[in-house]
Amino acid sequence: MSEDLNEAVLEESEPEDVTGEHSEQLEVDPFAELAAERDQITDALTRLQADFENFRRRSNRELSEASSRGASAVVLSLLPVLDALDLAAAHLGESAEASAEGLALVQARSLLLDSLAKQGLERLDGAPVVFDPQIHDAVMHAEGEGEPTVVEVMRAGYRLGELVIRPAMVRVEG
Amino acid sequence: MAKAVGIDLGTTNSVVAVFEVGEPVVIPNAEGGRTTPSVVGFSKTGEVLVGEVAKRQAITNPDRTIRSVKRHMGTSWTLPIDGKDYTAQEISARILGKLKRDAEAYLGDEVTEAVITVPAYFNDAQRTATQEAGQIAGLKVLRIINEPTAAALAYGLEKDDEEQAILVFDLGGGTFDVSVLEIADNVFEVKSTSGDTSLGGDDWDQVIIDYLVKTFKDNEGVDLAADKMAIQRLKEAAEKAKIELSSLQESAVNLPFITATSEGPKHLDLTLTRAKFNELTADLVERCRAPFEAAIKDAKMSVGEIDHVVMVGGSTRIPAVQELVHSLTGKDPHKGVNPDEVVAIGAAVQAGVLKGDVKDVLLLDVTPLSLGIETKGGIMNKIIERNTTIPTKRSQTYTTADDNQPSVEIHVLQGEREMAMYNKTLGKFQLVDIPPAPQGMPQIGVTFDIDANGIVHVSAQDKATGKTQSMTITGQSSLADEEINRMVKDAEAHADDDKRRREEAEIRNQADALIYSTEKLLKDQGDKVEAEQRSEAEAAVAATREALEGSDMEAIKTATERLSTAAQGISAKLYEAGATEAGGEEASPSAAANDDEVVDAEIIEES
């Protein structure tokens, strides 16, 4: 077994060693040697340049992604607040607007949702819709007829721009 | 140019990394995650889902969703789906295929080759299956390497010349492995492996969930375990608490409206301390001990012979686990590489070595400290900032501080302090034979050129005559790390003091310059100036001179303001006169109005 586990990890290939041990002394053309070295260096430089080009292109892309990620980190940290407000509103139900406290809560919640919507936050809470794991996370499932369908959204999901920052937690049938 | 990637094909999660521009980087997947769940789902519509998306639909599609396929590698396990029997390597190939696609999207380049890691205990059949999985995914598998070996590579442990013994402690999401490696002459040998295939970070989460459920039941009389949504929220909260407790002493678990009874809604709100967490998970930590001891024993070693300890897997961030490893080995593990990513990073390093990328990359150094020259008032003017990648070349143009100054001294400095006297002198030289000229007129170009070996060439050239003087400083980077750190810390500690001194020097320089220009004005245009203005200007010059003798900065400022007002009064009068004269001589442009950038700092005159 230990035979299998041996592995030479780093390649050590030094062509100079080979020529050095060769029995007959080969005439080495200094120009050929220099040309080979030049080609090697040119190759290395080209690779580096290509790497750098790709790197720069990606850095630009990542810069814009990073700023949206920064926003998404803030929004993500606010989601539990939204969830709590959702749950509170759901708990109060129809009676929410009957009391001053309930009304305040409902208004605070819609204000927060509106503000975040202006930042590009899209709420994913439609039901019934066809189950789509890109935006839905199924935590309950019942066998049923036809296509898997979201029958209840237990916790809303959110999309910020293109990115699903949290899938909706759903109950699925079918 | 097609790239070779390194892939950690894990039981629970997989990671892909690439060696690029001299260092290995983890490639995020299309969903933005740095790790991809090793889950594959075949939807009823025939779509193949991999990763997070597959995980989300698992419950709706349990017969056609595969987790932990790695446990089946090299066996005759198959899964029938839509009339086709899928082997473990075919399922693994789906995971590899997603990693490949995501890497290609990220790199904007084709990915055709890979180094893939496997557990050290994998037998031939399991290794062959992994290789086949790569081939099915369209990857040429350059090499299959052991996970602990990859982790050691990520830390560059093979670079030591001496024979080294390395202990790799890998606590993943669902598996625990301990390996002892020996490395000599760049060859890794696995001396022993041990572990527990059903111990991982998920167990720590479960302990917290159980505790929360039990506490809630004791306090509120409601069993949350039956509520799917509550359990999902508890899972998230448990993981968050576990992560927080790695850096904090306590974590608040706050889940409002966790459930509802006939009395109304119930909220879960409690604080989990690290001490409580440690108490709850003590058994799990203890389970790491026996495999560790078995690995040491099988390697026929004593703990004292271990040279390095490497931690792999997110759960090794748990303080109690770190304490256990420290108490067992007596060593601090290597740190710095994300333990979730260290295996993929090492695989990418290996891919880089095999593709020759690592050899091709010139290891570029940086200057540990800033380099510059002393300018008027004892200020250090930085030309090359610290942490600049070398080789590099920078130039700045300076001028003289006095009329007819015949030479300048280039005082080459290294350090972070604002004032020259607190920095290290690397050398001094003179540029002489500057033709007589008013101060501010000559242009002295100073160039710093650091080659790849850290050797600094400093040259100064008088742009009028082309006369050049230079010096070469070798071994400037030979400062010990402690000394560099000390100098950087010193600069931080004295930042305020230095800033004040620098401002003082600048105020003095400004006063000096104003005295000079006012006297010149009086000398050149004195006959056109009214006697009253002239005497006020002269008095102001004298007062400023006197203030400069002393150390009262406010006095210097006040005197300079007075002088400035007096000089401006004269200038205004002269312009008025010039305007009425019509065709009067234009004021000569100042020396600074040249094309070249002239820094507002002057080289001190040779003393």
Side-chain angles (χ1 to χ4, degrees):
Chain A
M1 167 124 180
S2 78
E3 196 61 43
D4 287 341
L5 299 176
N6 286 349
E7 32 177 339
V9 163
L10 297 179
E11 299 278 272
E12 296 273 56
S13 60
E14 295 298 329
E16 289 86 350
D17 292 352
V18 182
T19 48
E21 282 173 25
H22 219 271
S23 52
E24 47 188 322
Q25 282 292 329
L26 292 168
E27 277 296 316
V28 183
D29 179 357
F31 289 108
E33 206 171 80
L34 282 174
E37 194 181 320
R38 181 203 60 203
D39 292 346
Q40 214 176 3
I41 291 170
T42 311
D43 177 62
L45 185 68
T46 317
R47 278 161 174 269
L48 193 66
Q49 206 137 29
D51 263 358
F52 182 70
E53 278 304 314
N54 287 327
F55 182 73
R56 194 172 53 187
R57 221 172 295 135
R58 195 166 62 242
S59 295
N60 287 338
R61 195 178 66 210
E62 279 176 347
L63 202 66
S64 63
E65 278 172 10
S67 63
S68 67
R69 236 198 329 274
S72 90
V74 174
V75 173
L76 210 56
S77 71
L78 286 176
L79 294 189
V81 181
L82 269 175
D83 295 339
L85 291 170
D86 280 351
L87 288 162
H91 168 70
L92 292 172
E94 295 291 306
S95 66
E97 307 195 8
S99 71
E101 292 87 349
L103 195 61
L105 184 134
V106 169
Q107 285 179 342
R109 173 175 172 274
S110 60
L111 203 57
L112 181 58
L113 274 173
D114 283 354
S115 305
L116 291 173
K118 289 202 181 83
Q119 301 300 315
L121 188 74
E122 184 194 345
R123 197 170 151 95
L124 306 168
D125 61 353
V129 292
V130 174
F131 172 67
D132 174 6
Q134 298 289 350
I135 58 168
H136 296 134
D137 182 12
V139 296
M140 290 175 86
H141 178 244
E143 289 299 331
E145 296 293 304
E147 269 189 291
T149 306
V150 172
V151 290
E152 185 194 351
V153 176
M154 302 161 83
R155 188 176 67 184
Y158 292 94
R159 179 154 53 199
L160 190 64
E162 296 283 289
L163 205 65
V164 176
I165 57 172
R166 192 182 74 186
M169 194 197 293
V170 298
R171 184 159 66 86
V172 177
E173 266 181 33
Chain B
M1 201 180 309
K3 288 272 175 198
V5 295
I7 295 176
D8 170 9
L9 185 60
T11 307
T12 338
N13 288 300
S14 296
V15 184
V16 57
V18 67
F19 196 89
E20 203 189 28
V21 205
E23 60 180 12
V25 286
V26 169
I27 300 175
N29 63 25
E31 294 78 40
R34 293 167 72 85
T35 61
T36 300
S38 303
V39 183
V40 179
F42 293 83
S43 83
K44 280 161 190 150
T45 53
E47 224 185 325
V48 183
L49 306 163
V50 182
E52 207 58 63
V53 177
K55 216 170 152 180
R56 288 177 199 155
Q57 58 83 59
I59 189 173
T60 70
N61 195 18
D63 302 337
R64 300 156 67 94
T65 303
I66 306 102
R67 294 169 183 267
S68 307
V69 71
K70 190 173 178 180
R71 296 186 196 267
H72 302 299
M73 291 294 270
T75 69
S76 56
W77 175 91
T78 58
L79 182 75
I81 286 167
D82 297 333
K84 182 184 179 327
D85 282 342
Y86 284 88
T87 61
Q89 42 269 57
E90 284 173 300
I91 303 295
S92 288
R94 299 294 184 160
I95 301 167
L96 292 171
K98 175 176 167 61
L99 298 176
K100 177 178 186 281
R101 281 193 307 279
D102 287 354
E104 285 173 343
Y106 175 85
L107 294 168
D109 211 340
E110 226 187 336
V111 171
T112 51
E113 295 173 311
V115 169
I116 304 176
T117 61
V118 294
Y121 56 75
F122 257 29
N123 61 27
D124 262 352
Q126 292 168 305
R127 284 163 199 265
T128 307
T130 305
Q131 185 142 18
E132 283 168 9
Q135 284 157 2
I136 297 166
L139 290 166
K140 181 180 169 214
V141 180
L142 295 173
R143 193 166 290 183
I144 298 281
I145 67 171
N146 290 320
E147 288 160 10
T149 301
L153 276 174
Y155 280 106
L157 299 183
E158 82 288 356
K159 288 186 184 121
D160 238 306
D161 286 338
E162 308 219 341
E163 196 177 287
Q164 307 276 327
I166 303 164
L167 181 114
V168 181
F169 191 95
D170 180 350
L171 186 58
T175 57
F176 171 52
D177 297 308
V178 186
S179 321
V180 177
L181 310 178
E182 208 169 66
I183 170 169
D185 298 329
N186 286 334
V187 178
F188 282 85
E189 188 187 348
V190 178
K191 302 295 283 184
S192 67
T193 70
S194 183
D196 184 336
T197 53
S198 57
L199 178 66
D202 298 348
D203 296 315
W204 269 258
D205 292 350
Q206 193 56 49
V207 165
I208 300 179
I209 296 171
D210 293 345
Y211 171 73
L212 295 175
V213 167
K214 183 175 178 301
T215 312
F216 196 78
K217 194 172 183 184
D218 291 349
N219 295 344
E220 309 284 348
V222 181
D223 187 6
L224 297 175
D227 183 340
K228 283 280 165 56
M229 179 180 174
I231 282 294
Q232 181 64 27
R233 290 177 72 192
L234 286 171
K235 249 187 214 160
E236 292 169 6
E239 200 185 338
K240 180 168 161 277
K242 179 183 76 175
I243 291 166
E244 282 186 359
L245 290 173
S246 286
S247 54
L248 303 173
Q249 287 300 326
E250 56 178 51
S251 169
V253 182
N254 187 351
L255 296 171
F257 300 96
I258 188 76
T259 189
T261 65
S262 52
E263 298 153 32
K266 297 268 183 207
H267 315 291
L268 189 153
D269 186 5
L270 61 83
T271 299
L272 186 61
T273 63
R274 191 189 284 181
K276 183 71 193 174
F277 175 59
N278 287 349
E279 180 196 317
L280 292 169
T281 57
D283 291 350
L284 294 174
V285 173
E286 204 50 38
R287 276 171 67 189
C288 297
R289 189 185 291 270
F292 171 90
E293 280 160 357
I296 296 283
K297 187 165 158 279
D298 292 351
K300 299 186 178 62
M301 279 190 187
S302 70
V303 172
E305 290 171 80
I306 301 290
D307 297 300
H308 301 278
V309 179
V310 174
M311 304 282 250
V312 180
S315 307
T316 56
R317 293 196 185 90
I318 298 170
V321 172
Q322 294 186 343
E323 280 157 30
L324 176 81
V325 173
H326 191 269
S327 76
L328 288 171
T329 62
K331 284 206 156 44
D332 283 324
H334 283 267
K335 285 208 174 86
V337 183
N338 182 336
D340 292 315
E341 301 170 353
V342 64
V343 169
I345 292 276
V349 168
Q350 177 70 87
V353 170
L354 293 172
K355 292 294 288 176
D357 287 345
V358 172
K359 204 168 64 184
D360 279 350
V361 170
L362 289 166
L363 283 175
L364 297 177
D365 222 339
V366 296
T367 56
L369 291 164
S370 300
L371 296 167
I373 63 169
E374 179 175 350
T375 56
K376 196 177 171 189
I379 296 170
M380 166 159 174
N381 191 257
K382 286 176 188 168
I383 296 182
I384 297 180
E385 292 281 337
R386 71 184 292 253
N387 287 338
T388 300
T389 303
I390 56 175
T392 189
K393 188 174 173 176
R394 302 268 168 91
S395 298
Q396 266 183 30
T397 304
Y398 297 86
T399 188
T400 50
D402 287 309
D403 285 343
N404 304 325
Q405 187 175 321
S407 68
V408 291
E409 184 185 71
I410 308 293
H411 180 187
V412 183
L413 296 161
Q414 179 184 45
E416 305 311 311
R417 301 285 296 268
E418 301 255 14
M419 305 306 291
M421 60 192 283
Y422 298 118
N423 289 315
K424 189 175 148 83
T425 296
L426 293 180
K428 288 181 183 176
F429 66 93
Q430 314 279 342
L431 180 66
V432 296
D433 294 341
I434 299 172
Q439 63 150 277
M441 191 72 93
Q443 292 200 17
I444 316 290
V446 176
T447 301
F448 274 56
D449 188 348
I450 311 184
D451 69 16
N453 301 316
I455 295 167
V456 187
H457 308 270
V458 184
S459 65
Q461 185 184 41
D462 178 1
K463 291 190 178 172
T465 61
K467 200 171 157 45
T468 302
Q469 194 59 253
S470 66
M471 77 182 293
T472 298
I473 303 149
T474 49
Q476 61 93 19
S477 58
S478 64
L479 283 175
D481 284 353
E482 302 93 74
E483 197 178 349
I484 291 168
N485 285 338
R486 184 188 59 72
M487 288 175 84
V488 172
K489 286 227 173 66
D490 229 30
E492 282 163 11
H494 291 94
D496 289 345
D497 269 3
D498 283 3
K499 192 164 165 254
R500 185 177 50 74
R501 282 207 191 83
R502 191 195 168 110
E503 277 167 9
E504 286 181 9
E506 276 165 358
I507 289 167
R508 283 175 184 277
N509 287 348
Q510 208 187 347
D512 254 357
L514 199 56
I515 291 175
Y516 172 84
S517 62
T518 310
E519 284 185 326
K520 188 166 162 31
L521 188 69
L522 290 174
K523 199 171 119 218
D524 297 350
Q525 312 275 338
D527 49 335
K528 297 175 195 158
V529 179
E530 285 170 32
E532 196 183 318
Q533 275 192 324
R534 191 188 171 98
S535 61
E536 163 58 14
E538 276 166 358
V541 165
T544 311
R545 276 233 167 82
E546 197 190 316
L548 278 173
E549 302 276 316
S551 59
D552 182 352
M553 295 319 291
E554 281 310 309
I556 298 175
K557 269 197 213 163
T558 315
T560 308
E561 271 163 34
R562 178 181 162 199
L563 178 55
S564 167
T565 313
Q568 277 165 15
I570 295 175
S571 299
K573 272 272 154 44
L574 287 174
Y575 276 118
E576 271 173 37
T580 50
E581 263 173 43
E585 225 176 290
E586 237 178 87
S588 65
S590 85
N594 199 289
D595 286 347
D596 286 289
E597 179 203 8
V598 176
V599 172
D600 186 22
E602 297 149 359
I603 298 169
I604 48 161
E605 191 181 1
E606 109 185 70
S607 48

